[in-house]
């Protein structure tokens, strides 16, 4: 069955540290890839998405993600985190040409001021 | 432009009661979905719809019903509430042109407690 894995469940960083959150999926076909962010007490918001083309995708608030097809990965990065980046981050995969949309279990990021 | 509107924001039910969670979107999106979010389990799909009159089950549909009579509205009905349905429920919609899901817009959620 298709699945999305986020291996880091909790991450704690100091402000200005660099961030990389892992996301791997299991599906052999074409996929569309997404990262969402959920700030404390709020709903999920779309951070960035990849459909095709340049595998390095830039999103809002300085986040970027790189699609590595050979590794089935779509890792989220930010060069320098801020206290306001404290949130839960969800990776999601849409199987291209289908309605199927699979979320990972999320990574809680805490940034220490 | 309101986006996705969910009501109510909070609800407490007694075991066995029924209720309907409302969801409406004003973006003319084809896709609408209901998810529940539980600690450590991410988001799990309850039901989804790809257009008015078309609905299907997700991974955790038991105990829930949906209908989609219009493009805008996608209510979720709890038939007979159970404590296991205590959760945060999110409605989401997306544009689905050319067979792709272009990314969800989420509602603000309903926090449901069943006692």
């Amino acid at each position: 069955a298709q699945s999305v894995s986020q291996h880091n469940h909790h991450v704690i960083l100091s402000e200005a540290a660099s961030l990389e959150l892992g996301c791997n999926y299991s599906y052999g076909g074409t996929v569309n890839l997404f990262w969402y962010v959920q700030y404390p007490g709020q709903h999920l918001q779309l951070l960035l998405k990849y459909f095709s083309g340049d595998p390095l995708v830039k999103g809002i608030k300085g986040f970027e993600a790189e699609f590595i097809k050979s590794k089935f990965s779509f890792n989220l990065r930010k060069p320098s985190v801020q206290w306001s980046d404290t949130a839960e981050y969800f990776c999601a995969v849409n199987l291209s040409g289908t309605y199927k949309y699979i979320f990972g279990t999320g990574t809680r990021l805490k940034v220490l001021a | 432009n309101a986006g996705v509107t969910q009501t109510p924001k909070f609800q407490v039910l007694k075991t066995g009661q029924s209720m309907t969670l409302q969801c409406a979107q004003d973006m003319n999106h084809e896709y609408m979905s209901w998810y529940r979010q539980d600690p450590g389990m991410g988001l799990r799909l309850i039901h989804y719809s790809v257009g008015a009159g078309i609905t299907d089950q997700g991974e955790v549909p038991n105990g829930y019903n949906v209908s989609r009579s219009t493009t805008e509205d996608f209510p979720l009905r709890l038939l007979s509430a159970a404590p296991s349905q205590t959760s945060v429920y999110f409605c989401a919609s997306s544009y689905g042109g050319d067979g792709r899901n272009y990314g969800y817009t989420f509602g603000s959620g309903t926090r449901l407690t069943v006692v």
Side-chain angles (χ1 to χ4, degrees), chain A residues 24-65:
Chain A
N24 289 88
Y25 64 93
S26 62
Y27 180 66
T30 303
V31 294
N32 304 310
L33 299 157
F34 305 81
W35 276 97
Y36 290 83
V37 60
Q38 185 177 30
Y39 298 105
Q42 296 188 25
H43 58 280
L44 278 79
Q45 303 170 47
L46 185 63
L47 202 53
L48 49 77
K49 58 189 175 187
Y50 172 81
F51 291 134
S52 63
D54 188 344
L56 185 62
V57 179
K58 295 192 183 298
I60 60 172
K61 303 186 180 186
F63 286 91
E64 65 180 30

Side-chain angles (χ1 to χ4, degrees), chain A residues 52-109:
Chain A
S52 63
D54 188 344
L56 185 62
V57 179
K58 295 192 183 298
I60 60 172
K61 303 186 180 186
F63 286 91
E64 65 180 30
E66 185 176 14
F67 172 48
I68 303 179
K69 189 174 181 179
S70 60
K71 295 185 177 180
F72 299 91
S73 70
F74 190 55
N75 291 355
L76 181 71
R77 300 195 293 246
K78 186 172 184 179
S80 176
V81 294
Q82 300 172 316
W83 176 81
S84 57
D85 293 324
T86 294
E88 190 160 14
Y89 293 82
F90 292 90
C91 181
V93 173
N94 165 231
L95 309 186
S96 189
T98 78
Y99 308 116
K100 196 160 187 177
Y101 205 92
I102 306 166
F103 282 92
T105 53
T107 297
R108 284 186 186 269
L109 170 67

Side-chain angles (χ1 to χ4, degrees), chain B residues 42-61:
Chain B
L43 285 94
R44 292 184 291 169
L45 181 64
I46 305 171
H47 285 284
Y48 67 96
S49 169
V50 300
I54 306 170
T55 64
D56 206 346
Q57 297 180 349
E59 59 182 303
V60 288

Side-chain angles (χ1 to χ4, degrees), chain B residues 96-115:
Chain B
D98 66 18
R100 290 178 178 176
N101 182 322
Y102 278 75
Y104 279 119
T105 298
F106 280 85
S108 56
T110 296
R111 187 173 293 274
L112 175 69
T113 302
V114 182
V115 298

Side-chain angles (χ1 to χ4, degrees), chain B residues 9 74 110:
Chain B
K9 293 191 183 303
F74 191 45
T110 296

